[in-house]
C-alpha cells in the first residue's frame, strides 16, 4: 500500500513532492482530530463472534444497512459501528434480501441488531426505504455493508447539523483499501452525469479536508434528518441502481431549500470491489436510470455547468467569490486576539457564501488548529501539498477574486508579486493594527533607538502597501483618520474586532478576583504587567487583601512567573477556555501604556458583561464613555483607586456591565462586521 501511494505521489507531484512526503508533515492531533495520513484501513473480514450493540429506548440515529455481501463482511461493518459510535444513542437495522444462511448465522450473534426482510421489495432502493420506514431515530443514516467506519465518524456527521444552517444531508469521505480517495463529495453536470471529487487522490490533500457544500454525496454513508427524509419519500424506487438514486435524493434535498454537505472528518473505508458474488452492473439498466434522472431533473440540470467547462468544485459554487487569506502563521484564536478576529471574519465570509482558502506564510501548523478552520468550511493550504505561498500564488493566484494580506510584514513580501501574477485579482490589506503607530508610541515611552528604527521601516512599508492595494482595513476610526492625513488618496475602511454580547451575564454575587488577559508575544502586554505588578498591584493588595489578580496569556516568559511569585500575582498562563474566568471574576483590567488598534481584551470582557478598568491607550477608537461604559485611569495611583472603587461598588459594577454590553452590540457585533464586509465587497466590485 505504501509503495502504491509513493508511486501515486511521484506521478502527481514529481520527485519534489515525493521527497516532501517522506518527511513528517503533520503534527499528531489531540482529541478526536485525526490526520488522514495517519489512518490505516482495518481488515474487512473479522472473526465472527457474539457482539453486543448498545440499546437505547429512544435512539438519536438509526443506522440502516442493506446486506448484500457475505456474513463476515456485514459483521465487520456492524462491529465497526459498535466500536466507534460510543456515547451516541443509536439503533442498527439490517435489511436482508433473501440472504444466505451464513449471513443469518453471522447476524444472529449481534445482540440488539434489528433484522428486517424486504418482502416484495424490488431493488436496493426499496430495501433502503424498508429500513427508513422501520427506523425510529431523529436522524437516519444509510451505510453500505462493505464500509468500515473510523473513530469519530458519527459525531462528525451529526456536528454539521449543529454548526451549519439549513442542512439536509451530510456525506462522508470514502477511502479505498489502498489508502486513496474514492469520493470527497461529487459534482453534477448539465447532462446529468456526475464526477466523484478526489477519486484516486491522496486523502490528505487540503482540497478534500474541509467541510463544504457539494451537489451530492454517495449513499454508501449519508445522514439525513428523519422528518426531511420522510417528507421527500425516501429513495426513488424507480431507479434500478443505487448510484442514480443517490444523486436523485440529494437533488430532492436541495429542492427543499436544504444543503448537501461533505464532512471529511467522517472517514470511511469502502471495500466496494470485494463483493465476489454480486452480478456485474447491468449496463442497459444503468442507461435507463441515467435517462430517467436527466428527464426528472432537467430544469435543475440546466443550471449546472457543462462537463469540462468548469473546475470540479461543485456547480453551485462557481459564482461564489474566491478568497485567499494570507497570514503570518496559523490562527490560534484561543491564544491571541488577532487570530480570534480573523477567524470570526472568515466565518462571516463563509456565511456570505464565499469560498475561502487560508495559508500561513511560515507553513507551520498544528493539526488541531487546522481542523478548527476546516470544520467551519475554510480550505487550509499546507505542506507537503503546497510548499510555499510563492508557489501557490504562481500556480493558483489568478483564479482568486480577492487576496487578503494580513499584517504589513507579510503584505510587503507579496503585494508586488500578486500584481504581476494575478493582475485581475483585488488586493485587500488588513493592517490588524498600524504597526508603525504602535512602535512610535513605544519609543515615546522608553526611547529605544532600535524600536525607533523599526517604526520608521514599518511606516515606509505600511504606507507603500496602503497605496498599492485596492483597499485597506483598519480597526478604528482613529487609525482611519490618521491615514487620511498620511495618504489621502488611499481607500481605507474600518473593520474592527468581532464580539457578540453573551445572552446572559453571570450575576455579581459570587464573583471575585481581577482578570488580565493577553498574549505575551505582544510587547505592550509585557510592559503592562510589569507596570501593574510593580506600581499598581501593591496599592490594590493593601485595600483588597482578599482579592487575587489572575494573569492569563499564552507564551508567558519564565521571568514573569518568577515576578508573579515575588509580587503575589497569580501567573496562570495559557488556558484553553476563558469562560470560567470571564464569568467568575469581578472585573477586568487593561493597563496598557502604549499600543495601536482596538484591544480585544477589552472587547471580550465587555461582551461577557465584565466591567473593565483601563488606560487611555487601551480604549482608543472604541467609542467608550468613561463612567458609563468603563473606568479610565492613566497613572498608577488613579488606576489603583479606580480598581478598588469598582471592586466595592455594586451599582457602579452593574452600570458599567450594561454599558459595555451595549457598546459591543453597537460597534463590534457580528451584525456590524457583516455590514462592513458587504460594503467592502461593493467597493471592490465583488458579487455577494
Amino acid at each position: 500500500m505504501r509503495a502504491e501511494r509513493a508511486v501515486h505521489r511521484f506521478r502527481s507531484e514529481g520527485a519534489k513532492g515525493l521527497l516532501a512526503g517522506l518527511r513528517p508533515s503533520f503534527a499528531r492531533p489531540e482529541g478526536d482530530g485525526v490526520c488522514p495520513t495517519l489512518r490505516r484501513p482495518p481488515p474487512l473480514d473479522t472473526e465472527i463472534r457474539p457482539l453486543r450493540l448498545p440499546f437505547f429506548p429512544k435512539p438519536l440515529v438509526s443506522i440502516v444497512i442493506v446486506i448484500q455481501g457475505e456474513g463476515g463482511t456485514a459483521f465487520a461493518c456492524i462491529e465497526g459501528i459498535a466500536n466507534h459510535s460510543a456515547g451516541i444513542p443509536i439503533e442498527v437495522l439490517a435489511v436482508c434480501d433473501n440472504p444466505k444462511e451464513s449471513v443469518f448465522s453471522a447476524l444472529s450473534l449481534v445482540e440488539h441488531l434489528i433484522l428486517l426482510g424486504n418482502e416484495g421489495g424490488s431493488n436496493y432502493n426499496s430495501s433502503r426505504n424498508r429500513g427508513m420506514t422501520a427506523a425510529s431515530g431523529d436522524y437516519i443514516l444509510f451505510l453500505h455493508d462493505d464500509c468500515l467506519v473510523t473513530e469519530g465518524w458519527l459525531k462528525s456527521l451529526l456536528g454539521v447539523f449543529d454548526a451549519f444552517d439549513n442542512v439536509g444531508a451530510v456525506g462522508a469521505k470514502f477511502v479505498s483499501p489502498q489508502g486513496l480517495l474514492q469520493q470527497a463529495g461529487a459534482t453534477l453536470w448539465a447532462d446529468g452525469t456526475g464526477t466523484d471529487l478526489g477519486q484516486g487522490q491522496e486523502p490528505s490533500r487540503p482540497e478534500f479536508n474541509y467541510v463544504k457544500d457539494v451537489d451530492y454525496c454517495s449513499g454508501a454513508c449519508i445522514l439525513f434528518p428523519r422528518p426531511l427524509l420522510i417528507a421527500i419519500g425516501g429513495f426513488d424506487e424507480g431507479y434500478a441502481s443505487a448510484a442514480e438514486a443517490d444523486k436523485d435524493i440529494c437533488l430532492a434535498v436541495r429542492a427543499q431549500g436544504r444543503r448537501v454537505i461533505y464532512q471529511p472528518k467522517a472517514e470511511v473505508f469502502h471495500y466496494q470491489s470485494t463483493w465476489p458474488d454480486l452480478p456485474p452492473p447491468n449496463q442497459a439498466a444503468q442507461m435507463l436510470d441515467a435517462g430517467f434522472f436527466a428527464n426528472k431533473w432537467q430544469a435543475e440540470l440546466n443550471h449546472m455547468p457543462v462537463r469540462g467547462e468548469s473546475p470540479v468544485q461543485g456547480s453551485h459554487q462557481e459564482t461564489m467569490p474566491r478568497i485567499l487569506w494570507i497570514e503570518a502563521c496559523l490562527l490560534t484564536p484561543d491564544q491571541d486576539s488577532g487570530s480570534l478576529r480573523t477567524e470570526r471574519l472568515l466565518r462571516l465570509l463563509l456565511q456570505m457564501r464565499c469560498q475561502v482558502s487560508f495559508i500561513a506564510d511560515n507553513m507551520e501548523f498544528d493539526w488541531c488548529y487546522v481542523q478548527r478552520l476546516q470544520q467551519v468550511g475554510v480550505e487550509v493550504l499546507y505542506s507537503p501539498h503546497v510548499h510555499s505561498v510563492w508557489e501557490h500564488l504562481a500556480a493558483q493566484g489568478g483564479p482568486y477574486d480577492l487576496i487578503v494580506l494580513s499584517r504589513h510584514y507579510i503584505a510587503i513580501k507579496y503585494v508586488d508579486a500578486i500584481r504581476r501574477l494575478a493582475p485581475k485579482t483585488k488586493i485587500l490589506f488588513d493592517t490588524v493594527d498600524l504597526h508603525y503607530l504602535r512602535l512610535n508610541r513605544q519609543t515615546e515611552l522608553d526611547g529605544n533607538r532600535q524600536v525607533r528604527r523599526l517604526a520608521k521601516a514599518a511606516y515606509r512599508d505600511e504606507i507603500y502597501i496602503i497605496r498599492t492595494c485596492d483597499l485597506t482595513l483598519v480597526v478604528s476610526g482613529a487609525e482611519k483618520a490618521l491615514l487620511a492625513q498620511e495618504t489621502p488618496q488611499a481607500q481605507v475602511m474600518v473593520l474592527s474586532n468581532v464580539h457578540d454580547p453573551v445572552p446572559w451575564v453571570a450575576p455579581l454575587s459570587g464573583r471575585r478576583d481581577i482578570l488580565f488577559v493577553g498574549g505575551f508575544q505582544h510587547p505592550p502586554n509585557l510592559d503592562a504587567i510589569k507596570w501593574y505588578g510593580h506600581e499598581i498591584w501593591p496599592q490594590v493588595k493593601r485595600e483588597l487583601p482578599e482579592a487575587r489578580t489572575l494573569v492569563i496569556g499564552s507564551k508567558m516568559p519564565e521571568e514573569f512567573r518568577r515576578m508573579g511569585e515575588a509580587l503575589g500575582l497569580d501567573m496562570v498562563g495559557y488556558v484553553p477556555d476563558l469562560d470560567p474566568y470571564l464569568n467568575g471574576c469581578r472585573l477586568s483590567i487593561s493597563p496598557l501604556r502604549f499600543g495601536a488598534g482596538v484591544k480585544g481584551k477589552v472587547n471580550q470582557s465587555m461582551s461577557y458583561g465584565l466591567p473593565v478598568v483601563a488606560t487611555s491607550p487601551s480604549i482608543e477608537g472604541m467609542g467608550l464613555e468613561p463612567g458609563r461604559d468603563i473606568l479610565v485611569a492613566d497613572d498608577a495611583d488613579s488606576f489603583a483607586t479606580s480598581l478598588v472603587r469598582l471592586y466595592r461598588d455594586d451599582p457602579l459594577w452593574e452600570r458599567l456591565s450594561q454599558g459595555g454590553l451595549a457598546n459591543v452590540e453597537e460597534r463590534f457585533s457580528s451584525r456590524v462586521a457583516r455590514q462592513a464586509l458587504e460594503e467592502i465587497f461593493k467597493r471592490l466590485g465583488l458579487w455577494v
Side-chain angles (χ1 to χ4, degrees), residues 188-193 294 298 301-307:
L188 275 171
W189 306 102
D191 62 359
T193 59
Q298 188 59 62
L301 293 173
N302 287 337
H303 300 290
M304 302 294 180
V306 175
R307 177 180 283 275

Side-chain angles (χ1 to χ4, degrees), residues 54-56 58-61 81-90 151-155 158:
F55 173 75
F56 299 93
K58 184 61 180 78
L60 176 65
V61 183
I81 295 170
N83 291 339
H84 299 305
S85 306
I88 300 175
I90 62 170
E151 189 64 35
W153 71 292
L154 189 52
K155 179 182 177 182
L158 286 167

Side-chain angles (χ1 to χ4, degrees), residues 423-498:
K424 295 182 179 180
T425 299
K426 301 292 186 180
I427 307 177
L428 182 65
F429 174 37
D430 182 21
T431 59
V432 181
D433 64 25
L434 287 174
H435 286 55
Y436 83 83
L437 180 61
R438 170 161 52 84
L439 293 170
N440 275 335
R441 289 171 173 175
Q442 183 177 349
T443 61
E444 292 171 3
L445 184 68
D446 61 20
N448 188 303
R449 293 183 179 180
Q450 177 62 25
V451 174
R452 191 180 302 277
R453 286 193 291 270
L454 292 174
K456 290 180 179 180
Y459 175 82
R460 181 187 65 243
D461 289 348
E462 284 182 305
I463 296 301
Y464 175 78
I465 298 162
I466 290 166
R467 290 171 175 168
T468 304
C469 290
D470 295 289
L471 193 146
T472 294
L473 299 181
V474 293
V475 293
S476 73
E479 292 186 345
K480 182 180 179 181
L482 180 62
L483 290 180
Q485 299 175 4
E486 299 288 344
T487 175
Q489 291 77 30
Q491 190 167 198
V492 180
M493 289 187 64
V494 175
L495 181 56
S496 197
N497 295 341
V498 186

Side-chain angles (χ1 to χ4, degrees), residues 85 342 547 608 623:
S85 306
T342 299
Y608 277 75

Side-chain angles (χ1 to χ4, degrees), residues 651-663:
L652 175 62
W653 192 98
E654 296 287 357
R655 183 169 74 247
L656 296 185
S657 176
Q658 291 303 310
L661 288 167
N663 175 268

Side-chain angles (χ1 to χ4, degrees), residues 183-198:
Q183 192 200 82
T187 192
L188 275 171
W189 306 102
D191 62 359
T193 59
T195 297
D196 291 338
L197 300 178

